Amino acid sequence: MAQKSKAYRAAAAKIEADRFYTPEEAVAIARESGSAKTDSTVEVALKLGVDPRKADQMVRGTVSLPHGTGKTQRVIVFAQGAAAQAALDAGADEVGSDELIEKVAAGYTAFDAAVASPELMGKVGRLGKVLGPRGLMPNPRTGTVTPDVAKAVTDIKGGRIEFRVDKHANVHFVVGKASFTEEQLSENIRAALDEIVRLKPSSSKGRYVMKAAVSTTFGPGIPVDVATV
């Protein structure tokens, strides 16, 4: 088993047994557990009281973090004509129609998000086997199938994240970098949590957010008091 870093051990030592922290307290500890060599990503993990096997309890959505993610997002756009040019002007990393579809069908996935104009979804739909498992398939519900592809690119580049409950009812999402201030990370977390709580399925009974934790990529998970969520 790999030896834990000094930062990891120092942060883990500050986590009191059987104590649950506010998001703000968890952020303060998590920032100290980041790598000394790289600007570690700060993440949040939730366990929701839903049954993802039921269509009406599938929690999925997007939220624009007020301070962004600290990561440069690579965005491709399936579009043509004026929409394609608008996407390029908005900062899309790659834009195309048939040729880009073929490139992705062949296994190209070196991007963080994919956007499509509605008229191309008939062709893009066949990429489900490539993009679906990676959570990259354009979807109207997340604003990535839209006639305004330029706005979608701008939103994603500006810090919009997508979240989706997995088959175990867990949700993971990025809220920034360890170099962010505690206030910036706390505000990003609050924005994401508010949106996830807003999307609580009406058929979900009992406690909705059952467990929560904040961590850096290679740091310890800091348990969060779900009563503060």
Side-chain angles (χ1 to χ4, degrees), residues 142-156:
T142 59
T144 48
V145 176
T146 172
D148 194 349
V149 293
K151 182 179 185 303
V153 171
T154 299
D155 288 346
I156 295 170

Side-chain angles (χ1 to χ4, degrees), residues 207-226:
R207 185 179 293 279
Y208 179 49
V209 180
M210 303 180 70
K211 293 181 180 180
V214 174
S215 67
T216 55
T217 305
F218 298 107
I222 300 100
V224 173
D225 182 0
V226 295

Side-chain angles (χ1 to χ4, degrees), residues 58-62 135-139 141-142 144 162-165 199:
M58 174 56 69
V59 179
R60 180 176 186 176
T62 62
L136 295 172
M137 189 68 184
N139 189 306
R141 291 179 59 187
T142 59
T144 48
E162 180 178 344
F163 55 84
R164 179 178 182 177
V165 67
L199 292 175

Side-chain angles (χ1 to χ4, degrees), residues 51-75:
D51 185 349
R53 295 172 299 177
K54 298 179 179 178
D56 62 351
Q57 293 192 31
M58 174 56 69
V59 179
R60 180 176 186 176
T62 62
V63 61
S64 292
L65 301 180
H67 303 288
T69 63
K71 177 183 178 182
T72 300
Q73 298 277 60
R74 286 187 52 81
V75 183

Side-chain angles (χ1 to χ4, degrees), residues 105-127:
Y108 172 63
T109 57
F111 48 89
D112 303 296
V115 176
S117 57
E119 66 270 16
L120 285 182
M121 277 308 294
K123 296 180 178 180
V124 175
R126 69 184 181 90
L127 299 177

